[in-house]
């Protein structure tokens, strides 16, 4: 993954500010919308939409369920909090370099946000975290990071940024608290929210059963192909981070491992066998669950922003 974009932060910030009214020029909170989760813009007030193609340094998302638009507006009760939301993100599997993937996070930081709420669609590796659950991420496991695919590799974008970034506190306990308090206020069922560890994989293939078992055994609860690069850049920029993963599918359920050997042996012995079929995940399924559950996630985000 190369550093293929010129560092044009000022040009990007200028292009954005030029089209914003004064009350939206310094957003307080950034939001990244995961697959099928861009509906939050519908509850913004005074909305200004800027296509990524109008912002120097921004790429274009190629994934269904990801628009390529930066949305500014006021969110929450009263006067509202000025926010900026990425309606669509970039993933390395699309061919974007890691520096392109995290570029919008750096621009949101330059615009002045202090907190960032990152959402994603993810597969569950944990049998006690069913589809539809919103997982408040408390930690991550990023095999690509450990093996050299880290967006912070290479020259830093500013000499003021820390070279060796600690990640023991990457997921803000204070913001995570606000999420659970917001859920209480919204009277969400206790089972609506869980806490867990996000495994970042490069994709675009979904996991094999063996990979799913491996990620579960090494401590991950959910898995996805995004988010971690953004978290790293956000932390490097000094932002407070909270990540909400909407579980759209199960990656692996132990009972779905069918043994063809046993099946054939049983058949040869004249026994009737009805073994469960393996599940096949699809992006259409991911988007469908996203559509079904996006409302709750959006209410949660709005309520957290309101309580900041
Ligand atoms: O993480 P987001 O962007 O929500 O999307 C998730 O959904 C896609 C797979 O269906 C992958 O891109 C995965 O990361």
């Amino acid at each position: 993954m190369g550093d293929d974009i010129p560092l044009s932060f000022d040009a990007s910030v200028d292009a954005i500010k030029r089209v914003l009214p004064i009350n939206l020029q310094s957003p307080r909170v950034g939001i990244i919308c995961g697959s099928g989760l861009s509906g939050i813009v519908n509850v913004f007030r005074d909305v200004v939409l800027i296509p990524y193609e109008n912002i120097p340094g921004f790429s274009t998302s190629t994934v269904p369920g990801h628009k390529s638009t930066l949305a500014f507006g006021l969110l929450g009760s009263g006067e509202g909090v000025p926010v900026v939301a990425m309606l669509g993100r970039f993933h390395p599997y699309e061919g974007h370099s890691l520096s392109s993937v995290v570029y919008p996070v750096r621009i949101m930081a330059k615009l002045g946000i202090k907190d960032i709420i990152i959402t994603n669609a993810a597969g569950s590796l944990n049998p006690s975290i069913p589809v539809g659950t919103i997982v408040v991420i408390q930690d991550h496991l990023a095999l690509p990071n450990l093996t050299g695919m880290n967006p912070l590799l290479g020259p830093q974008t500013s000499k003021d940024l820390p070279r060796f970034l600690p990640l023991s506190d990457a997921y803000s306990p204070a913001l995570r608290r606000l999420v659970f308090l917001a859920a209480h206020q919204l009277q969400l069922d206790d089972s609506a929210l869980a806490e867990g560890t996000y495994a970042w994989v490069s994709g675009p293939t979904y996991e094999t059963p063996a990979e799913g078992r491996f990620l579960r055994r090494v401590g991950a609860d959910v898995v996805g192909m995004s988010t971690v690069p953004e978290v790293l850049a956000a932390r490097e920029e000094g932002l407070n981070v909270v990540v909400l993963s909407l579980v759209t599918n199960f990656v692996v359920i132990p009972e779905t491992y069918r043994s063809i050997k046993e099946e054939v042996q049983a058949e040869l012995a004249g026994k009737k066998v009805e073994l469960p079929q393996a599940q096949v995940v699809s992006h259409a399924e991911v988007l469908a669950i996203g559509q079904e559950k996006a409302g709750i996630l959006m209410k949660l985000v709005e309520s957290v922003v309101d309580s900041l």
Side-chain angles (χ1 to χ4, degrees):
M1 292 278 159
D3 188 357
D4 60 354
I5 50 168
L7 295 177
S8 51
F9 296 134
D10 289 347
S12 310
V13 169
D14 288 349
I16 290 168
K17 286 202 167 175
R18 207 177 306 132
V19 295
L20 288 179
I22 196 82
N23 66 331
L24 297 180
Q25 288 200 355
S26 303
R28 162 83 178 72
V29 181
I31 300 165
I32 301 181
C33 300
S35 286
L37 302 174
S38 291
I40 185 106
V41 69
N42 298 329
V43 291
F44 286 7
R45 301 189 300 283
D46 296 0
V47 186
V48 175
L49 300 175
I50 310 179
Y52 291 166
E53 63 189 357
N54 293 356
I55 309 173
F58 273 52
S59 309
T60 303
S61 179
T62 62
V63 184
H66 290 260
K67 299 173 180 154
S68 287
T69 307
L70 201 59
F72 290 79
L74 300 172
L75 184 61
S77 54
E79 276 184 13
V81 177
V83 297
V84 50
M86 286 179 67
L87 309 184
R89 60 153 56 92
F90 311 127
H91 309 81
Y93 65 73
E94 296 172 74
H96 302 298
S97 70
L98 285 169
S99 51
S100 300
V101 167
V102 303
Y103 189 80
V105 174
R106 298 199 187 283
I107 293 303
M108 289 193 280
K110 308 289 173 241
L111 288 169
I113 66 165
K114 299 286 173 268
D115 303 308
I116 186 161
I117 303 173
I118 301 178
T119 68
N120 61 55
S124 175
L125 300 156
N126 182 338
S128 64
I129 301 184
V131 170
T133 311
I134 293 169
V135 183
V136 184
I137 299 302
Q138 58 192 10
D139 201 351
H140 74 229
L141 177 74
L143 297 180
N145 281 173
L146 299 177
T147 54
M149 195 174 151
N150 185 315
L152 308 190
L153 278 174
Q156 292 183 279
T157 56
S158 156
K159 63 177 174 28
D160 299 328
L161 300 178
R163 177 74 281 191
F164 301 103
L165 184 71
L167 291 178
S168 45
D169 62 349
Y171 298 86
S172 162
L175 289 181
R176 281 151 56 200
R177 262 183 73 80
L178 288 186
V179 174
F180 284 100
L181 289 171
H184 176 72
Q185 248 177 4
L186 291 168
Q187 301 186 326
L188 296 187
D189 195 80
D190 191 43
S191 62
L193 253 59
E195 286 182 295
T197 295
Y198 181 95
W200 176 42
V201 294
S202 73
T205 44
Y206 291 111
E207 297 66 42
T208 64
E211 287 163 351
R213 281 199 302 268
F214 167 73
L215 292 172
R216 177 71 193 133
R217 282 192 189 149
V218 293
D221 297 292
V222 291
V223 55
M225 308 170 194
S226 69
T227 299
V228 168
E230 298 152 1
V231 170
L232 298 189
R235 290 302 297 149
E236 191 186 37
E237 297 283 347
L239 304 179
N240 304 312
V241 172
V242 68
V243 172
L244 304 174
S245 292
L246 174 65
V247 173
T248 52
N249 57 285
F250 260 120
V251 174
V252 73
I253 320 183
E255 309 85 71
T256 61
Y257 296 125
R258 57 200 277 249
S259 161
I260 301 296
K261 182 177 176 186
E262 280 171 27
E263 198 174 311
V264 170
Q265 282 173 343
E267 264 172 33
L268 293 176
K271 289 186 202 148
K272 184 157 172 41
V273 280
E274 277 191 31
L275 292 170
Q277 298 295 307
Q279 292 205 132
V280 179
V281 61
S282 70
H283 191 58
E285 178 191 353
V286 168
L287 292 179
I289 297 291
Q291 206 167 30
E292 195 184 312
K293 297 284 177 181
I296 299 174
L297 188 58
M298 297 315 147
K299 280 206 176 84
L300 204 53
V301 170
E302 184 176 14
S303 182
V304 170
V305 168
D306 223 7
S307 62
L308 282 169

